[in-house]
């Protein structure tokens, strides 16, 4: 049993600027990682960039720059954005790094030595423009290859193939046994059937090489320098190469094994075939046991008015612009609360603004501000430790929050935390502390209200820390609660008798909406 919670994201292609879909995936993984840290686990959170391949080589060529220079430039956009979004990754996977290249070469060499690859000649129709072989599927209704393929020529090419199909029955069995054990290979489980159907249809092997005559921007095959490896073989390997793996027989894998297996957070478009088929079979061929197979957490897509976001449609949303305009808390909160993990959602600026104003500015921000202001006015910010009528409710919501986070239902977790906020605001209206303050006979009741609100806010700050970490810290600072956030610290009643609260400072300035 590894002692680390190992979480990865898909690594992003560096052939264009990051968009909101990339940002969502990273923030989702970050929230999960932060929750695990709160639960007291060691976490190894890995994210990065996918820098090789044909598309990157082509984009660099178009710009007339060296691919290395091209990827360095795009990579810096991702690096800067992740800083602005407060991602808490522990390691950075950039696939041009030597450590990664030599690990991948070790894997290739081992699979070659063990007879998992073979060399074969493929002949067929090849699109020069798209640089790929075409199959019958690509023919139009008139039987011809359409103009999108440009010049199509018949060529013959030698390549190396990975014996995928041999592992088909094993993979089917793995999928079924993981489901039976209540630990599905793919989460949410409605995607399991999709993967299983695809595996059942698996017949062909996987071409894992590209001749250097058409692609040089990749990792060279250690056993044949006339080829580089296919970009997916390279990219998928990041999950182990940056975690201390080494394919050499007899290598010391103790660090790696303390981390592995991982939870891979990926989008639905890269489940089949790369993660659900290629990656599982690559691991198996390298000798990973069934118990050492990872779990795939597959999220849905952010669309724009139901349509796919894409550069060519010109409708992609630049997270950089959103963060500059609304701040990272608004962006993180929106991306995590307005989509149900696994499903698609529509991106809407109006909803981002509305939800921020209603939930963060009006509900949470207001609760914090009125609590601290009243405590300051009526009690110089000093609390008495009182019994509370909300204690059981808060504990119940905390438990619901934790269960939702453990099953990666971040939206449901936020809802549970925000129900505490709503309940507290209603409690303020019900108890009307401004009236209690006028009546000396109600002095204990006033102390009970102030303690209840402060203690609830302390717990809310912990629950919200995976979602909006900076603001959660700021809440704790205003409460003058110096203890490090942890789930263990969500037990009701930690603020002691005589606790001195801090100064109220407005935390979530309202967004001026467009109307
Ligand atoms: N480089 C590959 C992944 C290699 S993993 C070993 C890749 N890159 S990508 O840049 O195209 O996509 C990166 C991640 O962003 C993928 O998980 C993808 O599903 C996700 N998203 C891309 N567009 C998205 C949305 N519109 N919405 C949500 N996620 C989306 O695939």
């Amino acid at each position: 049993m590894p002692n680390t919670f190992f979480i990865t994201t898909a690594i992003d292609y560096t052939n264009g600027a990051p968009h909101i879909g990339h940002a969502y995936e990273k923030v989702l993984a970050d929230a999960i990682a932060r929750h695990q840290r709160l639960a007291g686990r060691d976490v190894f959170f890995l994210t990065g960039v996918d820098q090789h391949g044909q598309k990157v080589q082509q984009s660099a060529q178009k710009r007339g720059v060296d691919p290395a220079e091209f990827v360095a430039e795009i990579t810096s956009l991702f690096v800067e954005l992740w800083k602005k979004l407060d991602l808490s990754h522990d390691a950075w996977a950039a696939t041009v790094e030597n450590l990664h290249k030599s690990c991948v070469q070790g894997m290739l060499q081992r699979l070659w030595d063990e007879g998992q690859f073979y060399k074969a000649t493929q002949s067929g129709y090849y699109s020069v423009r798209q640089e790929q072989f075409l199959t019958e599927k690509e023919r139009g209704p008139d039987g011809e290859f359409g103009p999108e393929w440009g010049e199509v020529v018949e060529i013959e090419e030698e390549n190396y193939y990975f014996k995928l199909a041999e592992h088909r029955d094993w993979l089917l069995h793995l999928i079924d046994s993981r489901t039976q054990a209540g630990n599905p290979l793919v989460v949410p489980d409605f995607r399991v059937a999709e993967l299983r159907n695809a595996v059942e249809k698996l017949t062909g092997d996987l071409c894992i090489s590209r001749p250097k005559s058409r692609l040089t921007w990749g990792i060279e095959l250690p056993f044949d320098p006339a080829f580089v490896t296919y970009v997916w073989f390279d990219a998928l390997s990041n999950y182990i190469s940056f975690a201390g793996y080494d394919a050499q027989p007899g290598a010391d894998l103790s660090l790696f094994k303390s981390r592995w297996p991982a939870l891979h957070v990926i989008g639905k478009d890269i489940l089949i075939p790369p993660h659900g088929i290629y990656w599982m079979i690559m691991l198996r061929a390298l000798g990973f046991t069934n118990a050492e197979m990872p779990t795939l957490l597959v999220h849905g897509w952010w669309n724009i008015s139901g349509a796919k976001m894409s550069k060519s449609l010109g409708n992609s949303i630049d997270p950089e612009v959103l963060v500059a305009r609304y701040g990272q808390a608004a962006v993180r909160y929106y991306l995590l609360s307005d989509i149900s993990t696994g499903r698609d959602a529509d991106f809407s600026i109006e909803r981002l603004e509305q939800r921020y104003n209603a939930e963060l500015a009006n509900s949470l921000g207001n609760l914090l501000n009125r609590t601290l202001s009243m405590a300051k006015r009526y009690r110089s910010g000093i609390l008495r430790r009182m019994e509370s009528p909300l204690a059981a409710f808060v504990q119940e919501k905390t438990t619901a929050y934790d269960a939702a986070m453990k099953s990666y239902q971040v939206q449901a977790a936020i809802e549970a935390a925000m129900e505490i906020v709503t309940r507290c605001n209603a409690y303020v209206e019900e108890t009307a502390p401004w009236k209690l303050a006028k009546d000396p006979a109600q002095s204990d009741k006033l102390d009970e209200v102030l303690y209840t609100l402060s203690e609830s806010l302390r717990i809310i700050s912990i629950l919200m820390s995976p979602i909006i970490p900076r603001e959660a810290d700021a809440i704790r600072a205003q409460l003058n609660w110096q203890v490090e956030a942890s789930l263990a610290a969500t037990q009701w009643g930690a603020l002691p008798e005589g606790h001195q609260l801090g100064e109220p400072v407005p935390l979530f300035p309202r967004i001026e909406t467009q109307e």
Side-chain angles (χ1 to χ4, degrees):
M1 175 66 181
N3 40 37
T4 299
F5 180 83
F6 181 15
I7 182 168
T8 71
T9 70
I11 52 174
D12 300 302
Y13 283 128
T14 49
N15 63 339
H19 63 57
I20 206 73
H22 302 128
Y24 164 58
E25 176 174 285
K26 278 44 189 190
V27 169
L28 171 63
D30 185 61
I32 296 169
R34 287 176 183 271
H35 171 256
Q36 290 288 335
R37 291 191 194 105
L38 279 186
R41 289 194 75 180
D42 280 342
V43 171
F44 186 67
F45 172 18
L46 177 70
T47 188
V49 277
D50 186 357
Q51 297 168 305
H52 287 129
Q54 201 115 49
K55 288 184 201 152
V56 173
Q57 181 173 299
Q58 281 166 349
S59 306
Q61 250 161 16
K62 260 188 224 153
R63 280 241 225 124
V65 296
D66 193 59
E69 193 184 313
F70 178 79
V71 297
E73 196 184 299
I74 308 272
T75 296
S76 69
L77 300 177
F78 283 93
V79 170
E80 286 309 306
L81 179 65
W82 300 157
K83 272 190 214 149
K84 287 183 187 158
L85 283 169
D86 279 342
L87 290 198
S88 63
H89 47 287
D90 302 287
W92 180 245
T95 57
V96 296
E97 277 184 30
N98 286 333
L99 164 130
H100 172 73
K101 288 194 215 169
S102 53
C103 182
V104 171
Q105 288 184 326
M107 291 164 63
L108 287 162
Q109 186 67 52
R110 170 155 164 193
L111 294 175
W112 174 245
D113 292 343
E114 292 179 0
Q116 292 285 339
F117 299 154
Y118 59 90
K119 199 174 185 184
T121 304
Q122 184 182 15
S123 55
Y125 295 99
Y126 181 80
S127 155
V128 179
R129 181 198 282 172
Q130 297 298 337
E131 304 202 25
Q132 71 176 74
F133 276 94
L134 302 177
T135 64
E136 292 307 308
K137 275 190 304 199
E138 272 91 36
R139 288 187 193 272
D142 58 356
E144 301 294 317
F145 295 112
E148 69 274 23
W149 301 110
E151 188 192 356
V152 175
V153 290
E154 258 192 281
I155 63 168
E156 231 186 46
E157 194 175 277
E158 277 202 305
N159 268 306
Y160 290 89
Y161 291 82
F162 176 29
K163 297 178 180 169
L164 275 194
E166 248 178 29
H167 300 277
R168 178 181 161 278
D169 291 344
W170 163 79
L171 185 50
L172 284 174
H173 180 258
L174 174 73
I175 293 169
D176 293 343
S177 60
R178 285 279 298 259
T179 299
Q180 277 153 21
N183 175 26
L185 191 63
V186 186
V187 179
D189 56 12
F190 68 83
R191 297 237 176 246
V192 173
E194 215 173 285
L195 176 62
R196 199 182 190 290
N197 289 340
V199 177
E200 265 183 338
K201 292 196 197 98
L202 178 69
T203 49
D205 289 332
L206 175 68
C207 177
I208 53 95
S209 65
R210 295 292 181 269
K212 280 197 184 157
S213 54
R214 59 182 174 103
L215 178 68
T216 52
W217 185 239
I219 300 175
E220 192 174 277
L221 296 189
F223 47 86
D224 191 340
F227 294 84
V228 298
T229 195
Y230 174 44
V231 67
W232 273 107
F233 192 98
D234 168 346
L236 289 162
S237 306
N238 93 87
Y239 301 133
I240 57 179
S241 68
F242 288 96
Y245 182 71
D246 183 340
Q248 301 302 319
D252 174 11
L253 295 181
S254 50
L255 177 64
F256 175 72
K257 295 218 165 166
S258 72
R259 294 173 172 155
W260 192 257
L263 174 72
H264 298 312
V265 180
I266 60 169
K268 63 179 186 177
D269 57 317
I270 55 175
L271 170 62
I272 301 166
H275 286 83
I277 300 180
Y278 305 162
W279 181 230
M280 296 300 150
I281 295 179
M282 282 167 68
L283 290 171
R284 148 106 162 153
L286 287 165
F288 285 64
T289 64
N290 282 8
E292 291 168 334
M293 290 296 150
T295 299
L296 304 174
L297 174 60
V298 181
H299 62 75
W301 273 44
W302 283 96
N303 298 320
I304 308 285
S305 315
K308 194 173 161 176
M309 222 186 293
S310 85
K311 242 192 274 168
S312 49
L313 290 173
N315 65 355
S316 57
I317 305 279
D318 182 353
E320 189 80 35
V321 173
L322 292 184
V323 173
R325 181 143 154 221
Y326 301 111
Q328 47 84 32
V331 176
R332 286 182 65 113
Y333 187 76
Y334 177 71
L335 289 179
L336 292 172
S337 65
D338 218 36
I339 190 168
S340 165
T341 310
R343 305 284 171 184
D344 291 354
D346 250 319
F347 185 86
S348 146
I349 287 284
E350 291 73 31
R351 280 186 62 79
L352 183 154
E353 292 181 347
Q354 277 164 14
R355 296 202 57 170
Y356 173 89
N357 278 342
E359 292 162 39
L360 295 183
N362 292 358
S363 277
L364 178 54
N366 192 27
L367 176 65
L368 175 68
N369 211 261
R370 73 211 291 207
T371 300
L372 292 181
S373 301
M374 290 190 295
K376 186 178 172 182
R377 189 169 328 127
Y378 307 136
R379 293 288 187 261
S380 310
I382 296 171
L383 294 177
R384 285 181 60 210
R385 193 171 185 282
M386 310 294 285
E387 292 290 308
S388 167
L390 294 197
F393 176 84
V394 172
Q395 295 294 265
E396 184 193 308
K397 293 298 160 193
T398 302
T399 306
Y401 162 96
D402 191 39
M405 283 303 279
K406 271 195 195 119
S407 55
Y408 317 126
Q409 293 299 325
V410 179
Q411 181 194 41
I414 295 174
E415 247 172 64
M418 292 306 287
E419 279 178 55
I420 303 177
V421 177
T422 306
R423 183 69 195 89
C424 285
N425 276 321
Y427 176 70
V428 173
E429 300 307 321
E430 286 157 22
T431 55
W434 46 90
K435 287 188 191 150
L436 301 176
K438 288 189 188 130
D439 180 358
Q442 297 288 348
S443 177
D444 279 357
K445 182 70 190 168
L446 179 59
D447 282 319
E448 174 193 299
V449 173
L450 294 174
Y451 188 81
T452 295
L453 297 176
S454 304
E455 183 59 11
S456 298
L457 277 162
R458 185 188 68 78
I459 294 170
I460 290 163
S461 78
I462 299 174
L463 305 185
M464 291 305 279
S465 66
I467 315 299
I468 44 171
R470 260 189 239 178
E471 286 66 21
D473 281 353
I475 296 173
R476 277 205 309 286
Q478 291 191 34
L479 293 170
N480 189 26
W481 179 246
Q482 314 287 0
V483 178
E484 205 192 324
S486 73
L487 286 182
T490 58
Q491 278 303 315
W492 184 270
L495 287 174
E497 172 73 24
H499 180 76
Q500 171 72 63
L501 297 168
E503 284 296 306
V505 187
L507 193 53
F508 299 103
R510 275 184 67 85
I511 295 172
E512 291 312 319
T513 55
Q514 311 199 329
E515 338 48 48

